[in-house]
Amino acid sequence: MKPTLRHEDIVLLTDRIEAAQRGATAIPKLTDDFPAMNLADGYAVQLSLRQRGLEKGMRQVGWKAGLTSRAKMLQMGIDKPSIGFLMADMARQDGAAIRTDDLIHPRVECEVAFITRTSLAGAQITREEVLEATDFVVPAIEIIDSRFSGFKFDLPSVIADNGSGARYVAGGRARDPRDIDIGTLGVVMEKNGEIVTMGACAAVMGHPADAVALLVKVLHELGETLPEGSFVMSGGITEAVAVKPGDLIMARYQELGSVSARFI
Ligand code: OOG
Ligand code: MG
């Protein structure tokens, strides 16, 4: 698919996303003004956002797959996965107090994160190759924060908005994916001590490693590869849960331990 937007429109839309992020203020989804925008346009804006970040000295640590489970697709009304980038400054420590005054309407997702030891590339990548290239997996939570009003968007808009990426927290126990069956692991999400949602990792495309394979395929279409030492989030297992100041989120994973964050 070829982009349709002119360079100056890509710049304009990148400015809009950046301003929404900086001011923690929601904006209308981008396709309201640019209805012809397609997925390639979305990725062109995302690339421009990433390049600006790198120019400012941010360090990219990896990538995220999104909308990789049915629960997420149903919640957002979108039936196709997408990818986004992860910068070092988006990371928070396990158990950290996460500020919400610089976020618009944060939601939390539980995910499995992969750390790669060899690079991955190409359109033919398989689950087995992803597992072979994986150093270890850790449990993680992602804090998403759509820059769009009402958390409502379509695929080109959310891709441009870096898949709503805002913060992420890795925790628990690092495990070798060859020692456990990640596909069947269960996870329970608690908010303020009460279970709010639960699921099995198989919800993510049958197996979270398949979401990493999908991510590598999308990177291939964008002319990129996944370098060794990448941190990759494979996508929310359950629907995302809204949080506000005072909330404590704890995600407990079978075999992987738990990961938590407080919101202030
Ligand atoms: C898009 C991001 C989805 C996931 O894990 O599915 C995502 C959104 O729902 O705002 O990060
Ligand atoms: Mg996510």
Side-chain angles (χ1 to χ4, degrees):
M1 192 187 294
K2 291 219 170 350
T4 65
L5 291 179
R6 296 173 309 163
H7 175 70
E8 48 265 51
D9 293 332
I10 305 271
V11 172
L12 174 86
L13 294 179
T14 311
D15 289 343
R16 283 192 192 175
I17 300 279
E18 269 195 334
Q21 222 162 353
R22 201 175 328 110
T25 42
I27 52 170
K29 66 179 188 306
L30 306 184
T31 44
D32 286 2
D33 279 348
F34 293 87
M37 208 180 149
N38 64 26
L39 302 193
D41 292 317
Y43 280 114
V45 175
Q46 185 188 116
L47 173 64
S48 140
L49 208 54
R50 180 158 58 102
Q51 279 168 342
R52 285 190 193 186
L54 295 172
E55 278 158 22
K56 280 186 215 142
M58 288 178 189
R59 189 169 55 85
Q60 187 175 357
V61 297
W63 292 92
K64 54 169 272 177
L67 303 165
T68 48
S69 68
R70 201 172 142 70
K72 281 291 313 179
M73 290 183 186
L74 281 174
Q75 182 178 31
M76 305 321 300
I78 292 177
D79 63 0
K80 200 169 182 293
S82 60
I83 71 166
F85 58 85
L86 297 173
M87 295 295 195
D89 73 336
M90 297 159 73
R92 295 294 180 272
Q93 294 291 319
D94 188 9
I98 297 180
R99 284 172 51 183
T100 52
D101 60 349
D102 52 358
L103 299 173
I104 305 166
H105 38 206
R107 293 181 180 180
V108 177
E109 305 176 321
C110 35
E111 311 198 7
V112 173
F114 291 65
I115 292 84
T116 61
R117 61 176 175 196
T118 50
S119 61
L120 285 167
Q124 310 300 332
I125 194 94
T126 63
R127 178 191 301 187
E128 288 68 32
E129 285 168 315
V130 168
L131 291 172
E132 195 42 50
T134 300
D135 204 356
F136 52 90
V137 293
V138 286
I141 53 188
E142 182 179 24
I143 295 94
I144 52 171
D145 190 38
S146 174
R147 265 54 68 169
F148 304 126
S149 314
F151 230 110
K152 292 213 158 48
F153 44 71
D154 45 29
L155 196 51
S157 297
V158 69
I159 288 170
D161 187 28
N162 195 26
S164 312
R167 310 278 181 266
Y168 58 89
V169 182
R173 242 179 306 154
R175 297 295 304 263
D176 186 325
R178 286 157 290 265
D179 292 344
I180 49 174
D181 176 11
I182 326 167
T184 58
L185 297 185
V187 59
V188 174
M189 202 203 297
E190 293 174 8
K191 179 162 126 178
N192 306 325
E194 287 191 5
I195 295 172
V196 282
T197 182
M198 64 185 99
C201 291
V204 175
M205 299 184 66
H207 192 294
D210 286 355
V212 180
L214 168 113
L215 182 135
V216 173
K217 289 175 194 168
V218 175
L219 283 177
H220 178 76
E221 282 164 28
L222 299 173
E224 309 221 21
T225 63
L226 185 68
E228 65 176 86
S230 291
F231 178 83
V232 183
M233 309 260 310
S234 54
I237 298 160
T238 69
E239 75 279 12
V241 172
V243 286
K244 57 179 188 335
D247 285 342
L248 170 68
I249 292 285
M250 168 87 75
R252 299 182 193 280
Y253 290 74
Q254 200 179 357
E255 308 277 12
L256 301 177
S258 58
V259 51
S260 70
R262 277 191 306 125
F263 293 86
I264 58 172

